[in-house]
Amino acid sequence: TNISSPTDVVAVMAPILLGKPQEEFWTLNLNTKNRLISKRMVTTGLVDRSPVHSREVFRQAIAQAASRIILVHNHPSGDPTPSSNDISSTKLLVKASQVVGIEVTDHIILGFPSDGQPGYASFRELGLMKDPFDLMVS
């Protein structure tokens, strides 16, 4: 499976994550051509948050020689809008990615579609991530 857009991520992950009663945080490990190597649940959390540690996020990606990863998690509330905790934890993971040399290409949050709005939020589409290794949030 090739992953070239947030909608590709949604197609792969929505059947797994939508309707879950608590947050689950996953990574999609990709090769240099954006081909999916594997998907992995890193952590499962509470109704409103899922603690994530960089060593767990990058462990499998390093072992599989992935060149990039996409972060994915769900919001059981249905609203995919990134929280301040989502933004700060993503910023820390992007910093860690610089050390291990694995690009974080996006962070997708899945929710329920409503009022014609997408059922996901993409950090890249929202302008929160500009370039690889660059999270545009202070």
Side-chain angles (χ1 to χ4, degrees):
T1 304
N2 222 34
I3 306 287
S4 60
S5 71
T7 55
D8 292 339
V9 175
V10 172
V12 169
M13 295 304 299
I16 296 169
L17 288 175
L18 290 183
K20 295 280 185 168
Q22 54 196 112
E23 280 195 9
E24 290 185 7
F25 191 98
W26 289 65
T27 57
L28 301 182
N29 300 316
L30 308 173
N31 68 15
T32 55
K33 303 210 183 267
N34 293 326
R35 190 142 189 83
L36 182 63
I37 298 170
S38 67
K39 55 186 179 285
R40 173 176 178 255
M41 183 174 62
V42 176
T43 186
T44 191
L46 306 171
V47 171
D48 61 344
R49 69 185 185 281
S50 182
V52 180
H53 298 285
S54 54
R55 69 181 168 268
E56 298 304 322
V57 168
F58 292 102
R59 178 180 313 211
Q60 186 179 35
I62 291 167
Q64 294 180 332
S67 24
R68 52 187 59 103
I69 65 170
I70 297 173
L71 310 172
V72 186
H73 81 279
N74 62 314
H75 278 178
S77 70
D79 180 359
T81 305
S83 68
S84 58
N85 186 52
D86 292 335
I87 292 168
S88 61
S89 64
T90 302
K91 187 173 188 176
L92 290 173
L93 291 172
V94 169
K95 285 182 181 180
S97 75
Q98 295 170 338
V99 174
V100 297
I102 296 174
E103 177 188 335
V104 176
T105 61
D106 206 344
H107 185 166
I108 306 292
I109 301 172
L110 295 174
F112 297 105
S114 64
D115 301 334
Q117 296 299 317
Y120 72 90
S122 157
F123 274 53
R124 192 159 300 280
E125 286 182 348
L126 292 171
L128 296 173
M129 297 177 81
K130 184 176 142 192
D131 294 313
F133 299 129
D134 183 21
L135 187 63
M136 302 302 294
V137 177
S138 56

